[in-house]
Amino acid sequence: EDALLPSPQNISILSTNMRHFLTWSPVTIQGETVRYSVEFQGEYEREYANESWIPICECSLITATVCNITEDISATVAYNLRVRADTGARRSQWGTLKGFFNRITTSLTPPPMKVIADGYHLLVELKDMGPAFQFCVLYWKKGQESRMHWKMVKDVSSTVHLDTMEAGHDYCVKAQTYVETINRSSSFSQTQCVRAQGGRSLWL
Amino acid sequence: PRTAAHTGELYCSLPNPRNVHFESINMKNVLHWSAPEGTGEGVLYKVKYSVYGIGKWIRKPECRNINRTWCDLSNETADYEEQYYASVKAFLNGMCSDWMETARFNPLTDTKLDPPMVNLSSTEKSISIILTAPEKWKRSPDGESVSLLQVYPGLQYNVSVLNKKTKKRWFFSISNNTLVVPWLEPGTAYCVSAQIHVTTPLIHSGFSKEYCIATLKDKTA
Amino acid sequence: RISMSVTEIRSGFTAIKANIQARDPIRTLSILSHPQSLHKVKSSDRCCIIHNLFNFYMDKVFKHCQTEDSYINRKISSIANSFLSIKRKLEQCHNQNKCLCGQESTEKFKQILANYEGLNITSAAIKSLGELDILLDWMEKSR
């Protein structure tokens, strides 16, 4: 008699830059507030812990149809996820995500970046995207694309010094994020070029 | 003190010392606690410690019948490949408290690090920065010095360089302890501060205070 | 990439260390570090000890550490799944036979199992989980 409610449908994952969200379509019952609860199951639970499921308490009996599962998807293994509807008096069967979710499939976007020339010094400002992220920054003297330099940047709390520039020359920079735990990188950001002191100040 | 008949132990009704914990900086490991609630002057303490896994409690003679609320156990907890517990008991007017223990103390991960020492020199157009990681606590001033670099092989430095004229601040992350910043403006003051950053285990010091130096004036100007 | 997973395990463990270690009242026995310290293991035996210890934690520890606290359980799941992903990577090294077990490491691992079996299963599992930093410190130190 418990399983009268229809189980949630269209269960899917939105995962960008290592932030993972489970979403589903609402279950609508005239005159009743429907709440949802989410559980996850890692590969460890399937293989070593009798296929047990673990509730996510932040997404227990919630009215929203989205749950931030980032904290629990904390290993590069295949996860199962499920959600069920609940009106208090009645409850649905679990609706389970079709297929596993592995964070290795997260989509990585190029990092927002600002390049600065401060006298003869080439600097870059990058946005902190969380502890999982590093930045691979490529820079080169304009016209010498074959002689690119690169620098891995981890701490981006402020303006990061890249290198010194020859007076009056133009230097170009592009960056991509790199996530070591999944060994993947984003595509490169737009290239930005600046000119070192000692020549016409022109933003190219 | 009344003796608990069945166990022969002293019956301890004095309130317990509170917040018994290690405070550790550069592996100088000092046990701290707060006096028992509601006890004024005159409370005395004694301290013992044990190596986790061996468990034999060892008294600390220098911290027997003391009225202060700290006890330096650096010597006893110097081996950072071990973990430790410490415990404190209070006495007042013939009464005593229970032994109150710390949480398990891991010197390697539970210590705080001081910022590095910063030494500067300058030329007309550059400043040179030499960083020195603090030393691990040592038994005596003439004892063998162990740099924290040896304790934390993955130790790196974050360096901040502030141009006092333009108020612009630049950041460098370096693994070795020297940094030369070339192509600077002559006759300009730069202020430098540095931080230690260890990735495994994750520990970082605060930033040092700012050390300032000016590039020499341009002789040709 | 193992180092980053170890860092993730370390941060998961740091979040539950005080809670788990407080559940282990036995000071006189250590699973991993006594009578013989992990730090005394020869580097040639490192791979074998790590391989055996990862299997030990997967097979004998995590599953017996269920608590009444859902936050703690979620962190244990996170650590266990990170262990599993590292174990997969280590298996490649073990399968390619670069992971030979010497006499010393075999003895050391027997001692660890004996320490574990000297307690009831829940106490032994909680104590082993509470000693995860001993394993991580040793793994990271000799990396």
Side-chain angles (χ1 to χ4, degrees), chain A residues 43 58 72 74 103 180, chain C residues 1 8 74 78 81 88:
Chain A
E43 205 166 326
E58 292 84 354
D72 295 293
S74 52
R103 64 180 183 176
E180 187 177 349
Chain C
R1 289 195 314 288
E8 286 183 319
R74 284 161 73 183
S78 154
N81 279 289
R88 289 271 147 71

Side-chain angles (χ1 to χ4, degrees), chain A residues 65-78:
Chain A
T65 57
V66 60
C67 171
N68 183 347
I69 58 174
T70 304
E71 272 295 304
D72 295 293
I73 307 296
S74 52
T76 308
V77 295

Side-chain angles (χ1 to χ4, degrees), chain C residues 42-66:
Chain C
K42 285 188 299 189
S43 59
S44 55
D45 285 354
R46 224 175 90 76
C47 177
C48 160
I49 286 277
I50 289 176
H51 176 72
N52 283 328
L53 281 175
F54 268 67
N55 286 335
F56 167 72
Y57 272 87
M58 299 304 291
D59 297 331
K60 290 181 177 294
V61 175
F62 297 126
K63 63 179 71 171
H64 301 301
C65 289
Q66 276 293 317

Side-chain angles (χ1 to χ4, degrees), chain A residues 66-121:
Chain A
V66 60
C67 171
N68 183 347
I69 58 174
T70 304
E71 272 295 304
D72 295 293
I73 307 296
S74 52
T76 308
V77 295
Y79 282 88
N80 254 331
L81 288 136
R82 68 182 185 183
V83 56
R84 78 176 160 198
D86 192 316
T87 60
R90 295 177 295 156
R91 188 181 275 180
S92 78
Q93 294 277 19
W94 289 102
T96 303
L97 177 71
K98 284 189 180 52
F100 296 121
F101 170 65
N102 189 317
R103 64 180 183 176
I104 207 164
T105 62
T106 192
S107 73
L108 296 175
T109 60
M113 174 187 81
K114 180 182 175 190
V115 180
I116 300 162
D118 187 350
Y120 302 108
H121 294 266

Side-chain angles (χ1 to χ4, degrees), chain A residues 5 27-35 86-90:
Chain A
L5 283 189
V27 171
T28 48
I29 305 292
Q30 199 62 35
E32 295 203 61
T33 302
V34 179
R35 295 177 184 280
D86 192 316
T87 60
R90 295 177 295 156

Side-chain angles (χ1 to χ4, degrees), chain B residues 14-18 33-37 39-40 42-47 60-70 87-92 97 99:
Chain B
L14 190 67
N16 297 325
R18 293 166 297 161
W33 62 90
S34 309
E37 188 120 33
T39 53
V43 182
L44 298 178
Y45 306 96
K46 59 182 175 181
V47 168
K60 169 78 170 175
E62 297 86 343
C63 295
R64 179 182 166 73
N65 295 332
I66 55 172
N67 57 12
R68 61 175 190 267
T69 57
W70 57 269
S87 193
V88 182
K89 192 184 189 78
F91 296 86
L92 178 64
S97 75
W99 283 103

Side-chain angles (χ1 to χ4, degrees), chain B residues 38-91:
Chain B
T39 53
E41 299 296 321
V43 182
L44 298 178
Y45 306 96
K46 59 182 175 181
V47 168
K48 62 182 182 181
Y49 67 93
S50 76
V51 176
Y52 171 65
I54 298 176
K56 187 160 63 78
W57 285 104
I58 303 164
R59 300 293 169 102
K60 169 78 170 175
E62 297 86 343
C63 295
R64 179 182 166 73
N65 295 332
I66 55 172
N67 57 12
R68 61 175 190 267
T69 57
W70 57 269
C71 171
D72 189 339
L73 291 173
S74 304
N75 199 38
E76 291 74 16
T77 56
D79 180 353
Y80 54 83
E81 290 178 354
E82 296 286 1
Q83 299 190 10
Y84 305 90
Y85 285 91
S87 193
V88 182
K89 192 184 189 78
F91 296 86

